[in-house]
Amino acid sequence: MVLPLELIQQLKCSDFPTQQEYESWIRRNMKVLEAGLLLHPHLPLDHKSDSSAQCLKQIINESLQNPMDIGNNNESMQNLRSVVMSLARGSYDESASEICHWADGFPLNLKIYQTLLEACFDKNEEKFMIEEVDEVLELIKKTWIVLGMNEMLHNICFSWVLFHHYVVTGQVENDLLSASTNLLKEAEKDVKSRTDPFYSKSASSMLSSMLGWAEKKLLAYHDTFCRGNIESMQSIVSLAVSSAKILVQAMSLEFNNKMRNEANVSCSRVENYIRSSLHDVFTQASSTIHSP
């Protein structure tokens, strides 16, 4: 059974208080299908040649724009079911199977947990958290035993969610960035006591995304920061350094290497940002001087 598909097919708009809630619910379930069948599938996919994967991606994109099309159109629902089951029943020997192995479990669990954490934000004002955030977090943490989460992964996931909201809402709410950075620092402390690289490696895509975003700003920080946004620089440096430290620790555990000295990781990163930005400024100044 592919649970999100069954839920979409069985529950109707009349089962929800409002059409808006129903549409939001469909979007969430389509995102879960995307995560389980396309982003973290049980079997590797060739997205360019697999027609079922291409078809599902198109259906998901259309349903995110117009979720009622899936809910009210029997033909659309049958197309969705056909494509989903085709992908879910694949096997390594390319034979059809009656058993659904549709997701690579733990990465999907992380995606589900991130989706749960989104409930901490006001759906009408995405840059603001709801007043009941502490109570909601306590409820979300009850899923740890089911999803295989722990304190470190919670901190990384929540840091990512806060960071994502900071970015998509225009990078104006520095409190979100600061909170994201603080959680990442806590995760950095936790990862030091881990001997299994699995957990920190599982979150590497989130950490790499945050590190990449921060470094784009820091490698040319003379162009990035000015009087109006300079207060965010400290948090962005901290975000980059903490992400880098956790990633280095994960690699060290995976390959049984001795971890580089923490101070070296921090210093080398900051030194690289300074050198790169100064080089950029020097290049700009030189081109200005030599221009006719």
Side-chain angles (χ1 to χ4, degrees):
M1 176 187 293
V2 181
L3 185 58
L5 174 66
E6 300 300 329
L7 290 173
I8 292 172
Q9 190 161 18
Q10 296 300 322
L11 296 181
K12 305 301 179 185
C13 186
S14 57
D15 296 314
F16 292 79
T18 66
Q19 179 177 321
Q20 183 181 13
E21 289 190 30
Y22 175 61
E23 291 179 351
S24 297
W25 176 81
I26 286 183
R27 289 190 180 98
R28 288 196 297 272
N29 278 279
M30 296 301 286
K31 282 290 189 181
V32 173
L33 284 176
E34 180 183 38
L37 289 167
L38 298 180
L39 302 180
H40 308 293
H42 176 65
L43 299 176
L45 281 178
D46 185 342
H47 289 265
K48 293 183 178 180
S49 62
D50 193 311
S51 58
S52 294
Q54 293 175 0
C55 184
L56 179 59
K57 186 173 181 61
Q58 181 180 348
I59 292 173
I60 289 173
N61 289 338
E62 291 174 354
S63 67
L64 293 177
Q65 295 296 322
N66 300 295
M68 292 301 292
D69 287 350
I70 288 290
N72 292 337
N73 190 312
N74 287 332
E75 183 179 352
S76 297
M77 180 63 73
Q78 290 305 315
N79 288 339
L80 173 64
R81 185 172 191 85
S82 175
V83 172
V84 167
M85 298 311 292
S86 173
L87 291 169
R89 287 176 173 167
S91 63
Y92 284 101
D93 60 5
E94 299 185 357
S95 62
S97 171
E98 291 302 313
I99 301 175
C100 294
H101 294 293
W102 66 285
D104 182 8
F106 195 72
L108 178 60
N109 287 357
L110 285 179
K111 188 70 176 179
I112 292 172
Y113 195 73
Q114 290 173 38
T115 302
L116 292 174
L117 290 171
E118 291 288 342
C120 295
F121 284 86
D122 189 325
K123 63 182 179 181
N124 297 316
E125 289 286 348
E126 291 191 4
K127 59 186 176 183
F128 297 121
M129 303 186 80
I130 59 175
E131 293 182 2
E132 305 87 351
V133 61
D134 291 334
E135 292 86 345
V136 170
L137 281 174
E138 286 303 312
L139 289 173
I140 291 173
K141 287 182 178 181
K142 293 182 184 297
T143 66
W144 284 11
I145 192 171
V146 176
L147 297 177
M149 301 294 291
N150 56 36
E151 188 75 29
M152 184 195 74
L153 286 173
H154 164 79
N155 286 335
I156 293 176
C157 285
F158 200 16
S159 174
W160 162 257
V161 170
L162 292 166
F163 162 78
H164 179 69
H165 275 265
Y166 169 74
V167 173
V168 300
T169 56
Q171 303 176 35
V172 294
E173 287 296 323
N174 287 328
D175 287 345
L176 292 178
L177 180 62
S178 178
S180 174
T181 299
N182 290 336
L183 283 169
L184 213 54
K185 287 179 180 177
E186 292 300 315
E188 181 191 333
K189 295 176 186 176
D190 290 338
V191 78
K192 296 174 189 175
S193 62
R194 302 283 171 183
T195 57
D196 185 348
F198 174 76
Y199 289 107
S200 48
K201 184 182 177 184
S202 298
S204 62
S205 62
M206 289 180 279
L207 294 166
S208 296
S209 294
M210 288 190 280
L211 177 59
W213 176 87
E215 290 201 324
K216 282 183 180 179
K217 293 182 174 294
L218 295 171
L219 289 171
Y221 64 80
H222 284 88
D223 292 331
T224 303
F225 299 100
C226 59
R227 183 175 298 177
N229 66 358
I230 191 64
E231 64 182 33
S232 66
M233 185 176 182
Q234 181 177 349
S235 293
I236 293 175
V237 171
S238 180
L239 188 81
V241 170
S242 293
S243 299
K245 283 183 178 179
I246 298 173
L247 287 169
V248 167
Q249 173 72 1
M251 291 178 62
S252 299
L253 290 172
E254 183 178 4
F255 297 106
N256 295 318
N257 293 331
K258 186 176 180 180
M259 183 180 175
R260 292 173 59 189
N261 185 282
E262 286 185 33
N264 289 343
V265 175
S266 302
C267 290
S268 63
R269 290 280 168 178
V270 173
E271 183 178 330
N272 186 41
Y273 304 148
I274 295 172
R275 288 180 180 275
S276 175
S277 194
L278 287 175
H279 179 269
D280 190 57
V281 170
F282 180 78
T283 301
Q284 291 178 27
S286 297
S287 62
T288 302
I289 292 172
H290 293 98
S291 61

